[in-house]
Amino acid sequence: MANLIVTGGAGFIGANFVHHWRAVAPDDSIVVLDALTYAGNRANLDGLAGVELIVGDICDTALVSRTIADHRIDTIVHFAAESHVDRSITGPDAFVTTNVVGTHSLLAAAKAAWLDRGSGRPHRFHHVSTDEVYGSLGPDDPAFTETTAYAPNSPYSASKASADHLVRAYHHTYGLETTTSNCSNNYGPFQYPEKLIPLFILNALSGRCLPIYGDGNNVRDWLHVADHCRGIELVLRGGRVGETYNIGGGQELPNHAVVDEICRGIDAAFASDPPLARRFPAAPAARGRPTAELKTYVEDRKGHDRRYAIDEGKIRAELGYAPARDFAGGFAETLAWYLAHEDWWRPLAALRTRP
């Protein structure tokens, strides 16, 4: 039986991981440490028994230390991060504070509890990172591996790269038992509607434009969050201490293809479920119009990386990982979730449109 802290566990990926871990390890103790900033949501943990939410900042080392001691924590799964690239361009300070200083706060508290005071218990500090630390690929470049040189191009990715290096240093300098995973673009339930897929779903339902950066040919590897959580579980259970594992979805797609799939999916949903037209009368599909008429090309984002691609060969070979979903199937599940959970996203959409 393990005792976990899941940082950022009320956010998108963290909450999905808490649901996953509760299902696969029902006897484990889980403490969620989350500051409940705009992207954290208590409702993401609804229905989970035996999960304690502590509202607090990972930069508060004293709070982290007390939590480790009080709950006899032996495992930290670190999701907490500022993660939206656009926000990092306009306000990078928060990214350095949370992603760099916050990660160091957790590492320092873990070292003090597990090494300096010597709890005597096996431990693990797992750090969840991103493929964006590797920079941008050309159209014919090989996919990122765990040995690809870091070349972050945004304040967000630079802050995550810094955190990755701190985790590595705490292992090699102090012997802290760490692992790191670098994932590709996640999508699925509970994703805050600032990222492409939930934003475009909600915009389409309300008849707002679908703003596509540049020419729409920026390429990403798409990973359903449930597959990501299974990958993290494999690393926690069998990953080699001190190692990094890339977790991908094997679905490398240009943004315009993702948007087209969103439009097709929404059109098909309205065609097969006529009551949707009454629930979302502003949607073009409610009037028999194609959702694609909302597509609008806008000025490209500053420093927009052209292509990411993940080589997940290491985690496949060592731990038996394989994504269970292709993008079409994963997106169909995701769209169905958003259509069924209007009560979850409607308050968030209202916040986003408030002046």
Side-chain angles (χ1 to χ4, degrees), residues 134-157:
Y134 300 122
S136 184
L137 293 170
D140 300 317
D141 290 339
F144 300 131
T145 71
E146 291 80 0
T147 60
T148 299
Y150 276 28
N153 290 319
S154 70
Y156 162 62
S157 56

Side-chain angles (χ1 to χ4, degrees), residues 21-32:
W21 198 263
R22 176 50 73 231
V24 300
D27 296 328
D28 284 0
S29 169
I30 302 176
V31 175
V32 169

Side-chain angles (χ1 to χ4, degrees), residues 21-271:
W21 198 263
R22 176 50 73 231
V24 300
D27 296 328
D28 284 0
S29 169
I30 302 176
V31 175
V32 169
L33 177 59
D34 198 297
L36 294 184
T37 59
Y38 76 94
N41 190 341
R42 292 175 184 270
N44 293 353
L45 302 174
D46 285 353
L48 288 171
V51 174
E52 180 178 349
L53 171 63
I54 295 178
V55 180
D57 192 331
I58 59 172
C59 293
D60 186 345
T61 310
L63 171 63
V64 176
S65 296
R66 287 197 305 272
T67 305
I68 293 173
D70 292 349
H71 295 270
R72 294 175 53 82
I73 297 297
D74 51 50
T75 304
I76 295 175
V77 190
H78 177 32
F79 293 93
E82 296 284 348
S83 65
H84 190 43
V85 175
D86 287 357
R87 288 178 183 264
S88 82
I89 292 170
T90 58
D93 290 3
F95 289 74
V96 174
T97 298
T98 299
N99 299 355
V100 183
V101 178
T103 298
H104 183 256
S105 170
L106 292 168
L107 289 165
K111 172 180 174 290
W114 296 335
L115 301 180
D116 298 347
R117 291 191 290 273
S119 68
R121 305 184 71 188
H123 64 268
R124 177 66 64 89
F125 185 109
H126 182 73
H127 172 57
V128 180
S129 190
T130 172
D131 58 358
E132 296 190 41
V133 299
Y134 300 122
S136 184
L137 293 170
D140 300 317
D141 290 339
F144 300 131
T145 71
E146 291 80 0
T147 60
T148 299
Y150 276 28
N153 290 319
S154 70
Y156 162 62
S157 56
S159 68
K160 291 297 287 184
S162 300
D164 294 5
H165 291 318
L166 282 169
V167 173
R168 174 183 171 85
Y170 264 72
H171 170 69
H172 285 275
T173 300
Y174 303 115
L176 195 69
E177 295 186 3
T178 67
T179 44
T180 295
S181 55
N182 294 80
C183 68
S184 54
N185 273 34
N186 278 228
Y187 67 99
F190 302 121
Q191 189 168 28
Y192 188 81
E194 65 184 356
K195 300 296 180 77
L196 190 152
I197 288 177
L199 175 65
F200 278 35
I201 290 173
L202 303 195
N203 277 14
L205 295 178
S206 60
R208 296 191 181 95
C209 72
L210 308 181
I212 303 168
Y213 280 132
D215 60 7
N217 283 316
N218 299 77
V219 174
R220 301 292 183 262
D221 175 71
W222 291 91
L223 170 65
H224 192 280
V225 67
D227 287 328
H228 186 192
C229 292
R230 286 193 306 102
I232 293 171
E233 179 195 352
L234 290 170
V235 175
L236 285 169
R237 296 191 187 282
R240 289 182 288 138
V241 170
E243 290 294 311
T244 295
Y245 295 88
N246 284 349
I247 303 175
Q251 301 292 294
E252 194 177 336
L253 296 168
N255 286 345
H256 67 77
V258 174
V259 176
D260 287 345
E261 185 65 29
I262 293 170
C263 294
R264 283 194 296 270
I266 290 174
D267 290 347
F270 274 74

